[in-house]
Amino acid sequence: MRKILLLGFVVVFVLTVTFFTAWADKQKIAVISEGNSAASIVSPVASRGHYFLIFDGKGKLIEAINNPHKDAGGGASIMVVDYLSSKGVTMIIASNFGNKMIAAMEVKHINYLTFKGTVVDAVKKVIQ
């Protein structure tokens, strides 16, 4: 009986590790920030932040992109979501999201997190 329980535990553990590894490999996190480094502050306004910092599911910074839509006259929220979706982003982090941006993320099946603090702390919260 103990061997069966131990075997069951090992199987569950292996499946959990396999699932997390597959999830982390597919996850792409975009943090909208005021600066172009992980030490920067998360942007208070999602569509108008200065940079998009894109991380993989393990927390490694992949690229830092200057927000091409931060000065758009209107419709910046939808343009930002479309742009990040085209980059394969599965989660967006910012301090605040407007209703239009939330609706656009829902259409694209992108998760979001409101977070105040540094980019590195935001990413840590997601991957833990």
Side-chain angles (χ1 to χ4, degrees):
M1 184 66 163
R2 286 185 184 178
K3 288 181 182 180
I4 292 172
L5 287 175
L6 181 61
L7 180 60
F9 175 76
V10 169
V11 169
V12 168
F13 178 77
V14 169
L15 289 174
T16 302
V17 169
T18 303
F19 172 78
F20 177 75
T21 302
W23 174 84
D25 289 343
K26 293 179 183 177
Q27 182 82 343
K28 261 192 171 175
I29 305 161
V31 183
I32 302 176
S33 69
E34 294 300 294
N36 64 357
S37 75
S40 302
I41 298 297
V42 174
S43 178
V45 181
S47 60
R48 304 294 179 175
H50 295 282
Y51 292 92
F52 305 139
L53 301 181
I54 301 179
F55 295 82
D56 67 14
K58 297 175 184 171
K60 179 182 174 193
L61 180 62
I62 300 170
E63 68 182 310
I65 305 165
N66 190 5
N67 179 357
H69 307 295
K70 68 179 175 269
D71 297 322
S77 297
I78 294 169
M79 289 187 281
V80 165
V81 172
D82 285 345
Y83 181 78
L84 292 175
S85 177
S86 75
K87 291 283 196 177
V89 167
T90 58
M91 173 171 278
I92 300 173
I93 303 172
S95 293
N96 289 304
F97 294 95
N99 292 334
K100 291 178 185 175
M101 189 161 187
I102 291 171
M105 289 185 290
E106 288 173 354
V107 167
K108 298 282 187 177
H109 305 288
I110 295 175
N111 295 313
Y112 65 94
L113 173 70
T114 56
F115 188 88
K116 293 181 181 179
T118 64
V119 170
V120 69
D121 289 338
V123 173
K124 283 181 185 176
K125 181 172 181 160
V126 170
I127 63 174
Q128 286 180 345

